[in-house]
Amino acid sequence: MVEPRTWSLARAAMIILLLPRGLEQCGHIRLSAPIARLGDPITASCIIGQNCSHLVPDSEILWKLGAELQPGERQQRLPDGSLESTITLPHLNHTRAFLFCCLYWNNRLQILDQAELQAGYPPTPPHNLSCLMDLKSNNLICQWEPGPDTHLPTSFTLKSFKSRGNCQTQEAPILDCVPEAGQSRCSIPRKHLHLYQTMGIWVQADNVLGTNQSQKLCLDPMDVAKLEPPTLWALDPSSEAAPPPPNCLRLRWELWEPGQFIDQKCELRYQPQHGEASWALAAPLLPRTFQHELCGLLPATAYTLQMRCIRWPLPGHWSDWSPSLELSTAELAPVVKMDTWWRQRQLDPRTVDVQLFWKPVPLEEDSGQIQGYVVSWSPSGQAEAVLCNTSELSCAFRLPPEARQLALVAYNRAGASRPTPVAFSESRGPPLAGLHALGQDPHSLWVGWETPSPQPQGYVIEWGLGPPSPSNSNKTWRIEHNGSITGTLLRENIRPFQLYEITVTPLYQDTVGPSQLIYAYSQEKDPSLAPELHLKHIGKTWAQLEWVPEAPELGKSPFTHYTIFWTNAQDQSFSTVLNASARGFVLHDLEPASLYHVHLMATSRIRATNSTGLTLMTLALEESELHILLGLFSLLLLLICLCGAARLCCGPRKKNPLWPSVPDPAHSSLGSWMPSIMAEETFQLPSLRDPSMPPIAKITVLEEEEKKPGPWESSDSSGTCGLPTLVQPYVLQGDSRAASTQLQPQSSPSNQVLYGKVLGSPTGSGPGHYFRCDSTQPLLGGLSPSPKSYENLWFPNSPLGATEAPSSSQEDDCAFGPLLDFPLLQGLQVHGVEELEGF
């Protein structure tokens, strides 16, 4: 048995013999093509030689493309004993990649061989081939565009040959021109060219996948000649020639010396040095002329000029633009009119201090630049006297007493403008009807006015910083020549958050109107604080308030109005609005000894700002005033009571009292129960034949004041049993139609019982009359039951409405019994019968 130490040594020796380098020499890769078209398939095979196969007889050959394993197609043993594996890549999508043949050995993937794969495209035909003959270097320079990238090394060759006519025949080849690496242009030296002879030119592109050519050019090298640009010069003025007009420039040029024998034409372009104007081409220049006058330019302006030339009339290429030439046009006398304005101050009766302002208004597009202004006047018979010569737009001087009109001119080195007359008009025109101003934005102000009558010819608007800036300092002004306008927007010299003083003056024919002044902020800030509210005086029903507004702050909106709010202890709110000039206010109609909360709100054009709140208590009434008020209240209450009592006492008695007046039965008599009829009362009694007349359950006898004895003892047709006059009215006055009909008692015990009053006279011969009473009071209860609804004075055994008279034995009962048994009279001891007998 082999010892472990001996086995380890043998294993180490085998590893040393089978190093990876020895394995790499065993395999070899063969490719169908090392360079393929991008996307095309490619085939490879890996062969392990016979000398290495005995080491790995059963091993599998693996493939890797880059870092990815690829499955092989087949693996076989060749007749010579070597082992072969084949792989086909259907689409080679890598422009460059490495293919590895591998084998697992000692649990590791070992590379046996590798091969580089390349893929790309065949070259496309080069295009846009163009050539020009550089006469300065005498080389024919051609350039082209190579086309898309092939991903493979591609070479370009400029090929040419000499020919005649239209290059259909090739006479002699010209040496090929190979450009530098990465270049797409190539030059053919002059020594290989034949000028004024045609030649054919093309470009050929080559790589491993193919060859392609561009279209052929057939040209004469001189037909593509490019000249050098000319040289520009300013034309020197001569004493004989007149100077150029102010808007013109004169120049000359010299052609490139080697090309002077070539006929050519040139182009001239120009542009102002200052500004953003683009280049402008001059009119076509005549051939073989070497000077030109360029007109239509701005006076007193510097211009940049350039020129280029081309072979003419034969074909050729334009030269590059020449180096720039800078020239300036001459000045033009100013062509302007003047807008003028002035301010005057009378120093003494013969001396007037005048400050004159003016603004030049160009009358033409090219009016010429202005160097200065002259203000003068012409005394009669004397030379012109200059009052002011300045480059500013204003001038101050003392006006001579005899001067009524001045002249103002603008001048430069080319001359002076036409004089503008300045007349000092008196202020006798009508003023503006109204003036207002408003800040539109941080850098503009809108000023408006109402047109006076008659309409002015124009307006002068002046504006500048308001107080605390000095008056008339740095003021800006302008004239509006349209007299029908009612406002204008001021944008010049306007800064945000500034107070401006604006003056508008109407202009009339030969006179002016008085100036109107207004202040406005260009942009206003919020007011910082509202005025603080103070209590000045207070009373029982009033309170006097006051406040002191802050001084106007620069750039802050002034207050337009104030609003005072006050609230009482019951949260009832009141308010009032005051204008901005108010400095105090009195609260009226307050309650004595009451608490009020007051605050002030100040409002501007920007927003409203609240002041601090104020709490106040009105004064209480004094003790004497309370006594007076209580006394007056007591007198009023007493007067109301007296009036009510007088009405109750003096007014007529009501017919239906709220409750019946029932006397004490123990101290009453039947006579005292009988109320006397009022003389002034007149009753309208219903007809006794009224079918709707209900039966009467209560009869009240109304006595007349004067009672005369009459034949009441005699019997009448009504069948009253010969009752005395007092008792007779108690006889039932029933319905005559019910005499023959026995009435049935009503089933409902809750029926109401009606009462009535009987009007009768003991002296009258006719029957008594009655009328219903409004009362529905039920009959009083007593020892005997109350009569039924169909009963009145008779007992239940007496039928209702009996028409026969009672017997003589019942006469006394007929007279007095029913009275004693009447429910209202039960339990009473009736007195006064003797009084009845006296009748």
Side-chain angles (χ1 to χ4, degrees):
M1 186 175 72
V2 182
E3 296 180 359
R5 183 180 180 82
T6 304
W7 171 250
S8 299
L9 291 175
R11 187 175 180 181
M14 289 296 293
I15 294 175
I16 292 174
L17 291 175
L18 299 177
L19 290 174
R21 179 175 297 274
L23 290 177
E24 291 178 359
Q25 295 174 355
C26 291
H28 179 67
I29 296 178
R30 294 179 182 177
L31 299 174
S32 60
I35 300 177
R37 190 183 182 94
L38 193 63
D40 288 353
I42 189 170
T43 302
S45 62
C46 181
I47 301 174
I48 298 178
Q50 183 180 4
N51 56 345
C52 297
S53 61
H54 67 281
L55 296 177
V56 284
D58 300 329
S59 298
E60 180 184 4
I61 299 175
L62 302 176
W63 295 89
K64 284 183 65 177
L65 182 62
E68 298 179 359
L69 286 173
Q70 300 290 333
E73 291 182 355
R74 68 182 183 275
Q75 182 172 323
Q76 60 182 352
R77 179 78 63 176
L78 299 179
D80 60 355
S82 60
L83 189 64
E84 181 185 32
S85 177
T86 305
I87 185 175
T88 299
L89 301 175
H91 303 286
L92 184 58
N93 296 325
H94 302 276
T95 59
R96 185 175 182 182
F98 286 91
L99 182 66
F100 300 97
C101 174
C102 306
L103 184 70
Y104 269 108
W105 183 81
N106 198 18
N107 295 327
R108 296 181 62 187
L109 189 64
Q110 178 61 46
I111 298 175
L112 300 179
D113 195 10
Q114 66 178 14
E116 183 179 3
L117 303 178
Q118 287 183 314
Y121 300 103
T124 58
H127 56 284
N128 289 343
L129 175 63
S130 63
C131 300
L132 63 88
M133 183 66 188
D134 186 4
L135 296 180
K136 186 176 182 179
S137 62
N138 281 331
N139 291 333
L140 181 64
I141 303 174
C142 298
Q143 60 183 8
W144 61 90
E145 293 182 13
D149 188 11
T150 63
H151 305 292
L152 295 173
T154 303
S155 63
F156 296 89
T157 305
L158 181 66
K159 295 181 174 294
S160 58
F161 61 88
K162 298 177 183 178
S163 179
R164 293 185 183 275
N166 54 0
C167 300
Q168 295 295 326
T169 61
Q170 180 175 346
E171 292 185 355
I174 299 176
L175 186 64
D176 293 343
C177 178
V178 179
E180 298 180 2
Q183 296 290 328
S184 297
R185 58 184 298 171
C186 197
S187 299
I188 301 176
R190 169 68 177 82
K191 61 183 179 180
H192 299 302
L193 301 175
H194 286 274
L195 300 182
Y196 305 104
Q197 183 178 352
T198 58
M199 59 184 298
I201 302 174
W202 75 95
V203 179
Q204 179 175 305
D206 300 281
N207 65 13
V208 295
L209 297 180
T211 300
N212 229 324
Q213 295 179 351
S214 69
Q215 292 183 352
K216 290 183 180 180
L217 288 180
C218 185
L219 54 87
D220 182 349
M222 288 304 296
D223 290 344
V224 292
K226 180 181 180 181
L227 305 175
E228 287 298 305
T231 303
L232 293 178
W233 303 93
L235 186 62
D236 297 330
S238 61
S239 57
E240 300 176 358
N247 59 345
C248 293
L249 288 175
R250 291 175 180 172
L251 70 154
R252 64 182 181 89
W253 62 91
E254 295 178 0
L255 298 178
W256 177 53
E257 186 175 357
Q260 290 180 355
F261 64 94
I262 302 175
D263 293 336
Q264 50 189 291
K265 68 176 180 179
C266 301
E267 279 185 353
L268 178 67
R269 69 177 185 178
Y270 59 94
Q271 105 181 101
Q273 288 187 0
H274 304 289
E276 299 179 356
S278 58
W279 289 97
L281 284 175
L285 304 178
L286 297 176
R288 297 185 178 277
T289 58
F290 302 102
Q291 64 181 17
H292 181 69
E293 184 177 276
L294 180 65
C295 293
L297 306 179
L298 298 176
T301 305
Y303 283 88
T304 300
L305 301 96
Q306 291 180 341
M307 183 177 284
R308 66 178 182 176
C309 298
I310 191 174
R311 186 169 174 246
W312 186 86
L314 299 176
H317 286 280
W318 282 103
S319 68
D320 296 329
W321 289 103
S322 67
S324 298
L325 173 66
E326 295 180 358
L327 295 177
S328 297
T329 55
E331 288 186 332
L332 182 69
V335 184
V336 295
K337 75 169 186 176
M338 302 289 182
D339 283 340
T340 59
W341 183 240
W342 65 91
R343 297 193 189 100
Q344 301 184 61
R345 186 177 60 174
Q346 191 77 33
L347 299 180
D348 54 59
R350 293 185 54 84
T351 307
V352 179
D353 192 3
V354 176
Q355 188 174 13
L356 182 65
F357 305 91
W358 58 85
K359 281 186 178 181
V361 180
L363 297 178
E364 298 179 1
E365 185 178 358
D366 304 330
S367 61
Q369 294 185 355
I370 299 175
Q371 291 182 342
Y373 304 90
V374 173
V375 181
S376 61
W377 73 290
S378 299
S380 56
Q382 300 182 13
E384 185 179 63
V386 175
L387 298 177
C388 190
N389 188 350
T390 179
S391 60
E392 303 294 331
L393 295 177
S394 63
C395 181
F397 52 86
R398 292 191 175 180
L399 185 67
E402 59 274 16
R404 291 293 177 266
Q405 187 170 335
L406 307 180
L408 173 65
V409 296
Y411 66 89
N412 59 14
R413 288 177 293 182
S417 66
R418 292 184 177 181
T420 299
V422 181
F424 301 97
S425 305
E426 296 182 4
S427 180
R428 294 180 298 179
L432 296 174
L435 184 64
H436 54 275
L438 180 65
Q440 292 287 100
D441 55 61
H443 299 281
S444 66
L445 274 170
W446 171 262
V447 56
W449 54 82
E450 297 179 13
T451 305
S453 180
Q455 181 176 297
Q457 295 182 344
Y459 304 91
V460 178
I461 301 99
E462 301 176 85
W463 67 94
L465 291 177
S469 299
S471 180
N472 299 331
S473 64
N474 298 325
K475 277 203 169 185
T476 307
W477 67 280
R478 77 162 181 251
I479 294 181
E480 294 288 346
H481 295 279
N482 185 4
S484 62
I485 64 174
T486 58
T488 184
L489 188 63
L490 309 179
R491 293 185 177 275
E492 187 179 357
N493 297 331
I494 301 295
R495 294 180 295 171
F497 305 115
Q498 298 294 326
L499 178 64
Y500 283 88
E501 180 181 288
I502 306 170
T503 305
V504 180
T505 306
L507 302 177
Y508 300 92
Q509 181 70 30
D510 300 329
T511 185
V512 298
S515 300
Q516 298 279 347
L517 176 65
I518 194 173
Y519 292 91
Y521 284 92
S522 56
Q523 187 180 20
E524 299 172 345
K525 299 179 182 178
D526 295 342
S528 55
L529 292 174
E532 187 174 356
L533 191 63
H534 298 283
L535 176 64
K536 187 174 183 181
H537 299 291
I538 192 170
K540 302 177 183 64
T541 59
W542 58 272
Q544 184 178 2
L545 308 175
E546 68 175 0
W547 58 90
V548 179
E550 300 289 337
E553 298 182 65
L554 187 62
K556 293 189 177 180
S557 176
F559 294 121
T560 57
H561 62 275
Y562 299 101
T563 307
I564 297 179
F565 301 89
W566 67 95
T567 306
N568 58 17
Q570 290 76 31
D571 289 335
Q572 293 178 329
S573 298
F574 309 91
S575 64
T576 186
V577 178
L578 307 173
N579 56 32
S581 61
R583 298 296 180 265
F585 184 71
V586 178
L587 305 179
H588 293 285
D589 300 328
L590 304 181
E591 295 292 336
S594 299
L595 191 66
Y596 287 89
H597 299 281
V598 187
H599 76 272
L600 175 71
M601 183 177 70
T603 306
S604 67
R605 286 193 294 260
I606 305 300
R607 66 181 183 92
T609 305
N610 286 332
S611 174
T612 55
L614 182 65
T615 301
L616 54 90
M617 174 74 77
T618 55
L619 301 179
L621 295 176
E622 298 179 0
E623 186 176 357
S624 58
E625 294 175 341
L626 288 176
H627 292 165
I628 294 174
L629 291 177
L630 289 176
L632 293 176
F633 180 75
S634 301
L635 290 175
L636 180 61
L637 184 60
L638 180 60
L639 181 61
I640 293 173
C641 294
L642 291 176
C643 291
R647 178 167 182 153
L648 291 176
C649 294
C650 300
R653 185 181 302 272
K654 293 184 178 179
K655 298 178 183 178
N656 299 322
L658 297 179
W659 56 86
S661 178
V662 180
D664 187 1
H667 301 84
S668 61
S669 65
L670 185 60
S672 63
W673 278 40
M674 298 178 184
S676 60
I677 186 171
M678 303 303 296
E680 64 272 11
E681 289 183 327
T682 305
F683 301 95
Q684 298 293 333
L685 297 180
S687 174
L688 294 178
R689 296 297 182 181
D690 189 358
S692 62
M693 190 71 176
I696 298 174
K698 177 185 175 183
I699 303 298
T700 303
V701 178
L702 303 181
E703 293 181 344
E704 296 182 358
E705 294 183 2
E706 294 182 4
K707 297 179 182 180
K708 297 180 180 181
W712 57 271
E713 296 86 0
S714 62
S715 61
D716 56 278
S717 62
S718 61
T720 55
C721 304
L723 296 178
T725 304
L726 179 63
V727 182
Q728 184 180 354
Y730 283 93
V731 179
L732 173 65
Q733 303 289 333
D735 191 351
S736 62
R737 291 177 298 178
S740 61
T741 304
Q742 180 66 36
L743 297 177
Q744 299 298 328
Q746 299 181 6
S747 59
S748 176
S750 61
N751 291 333
Q752 296 176 348
V753 179
L754 302 179
Y755 297 82
K757 293 183 181 180
V758 177
L759 298 180
S761 173
T763 61
S765 60
H769 300 281
Y770 72 92
F771 69 95
R772 288 175 53 190
C773 206
D774 293 336
S775 173
T776 58
Q777 181 177 357
L779 298 176
L780 299 178
L783 298 178
S784 61
S786 298
K788 305 298 183 182
S789 59
Y790 54 86
E791 295 176 344
N792 192 357
L793 298 179
W794 314 106
F795 288 103
N797 55 6
S798 177
L800 179 63
T803 57
E804 64 271 14
S807 62
S808 59
S809 61
Q810 296 175 343
E811 183 176 353
D812 295 337
D813 293 337
C814 182
F816 303 106
L819 292 178
L820 299 177
D821 292 336
F822 191 75
L824 294 177
L825 303 179
Q826 287 183 5
L828 299 179
Q829 182 180 1
V830 180
H831 301 278
V833 177
E834 63 280 2
E835 298 176 1
L836 298 176
E837 294 177 354
F839 286 97

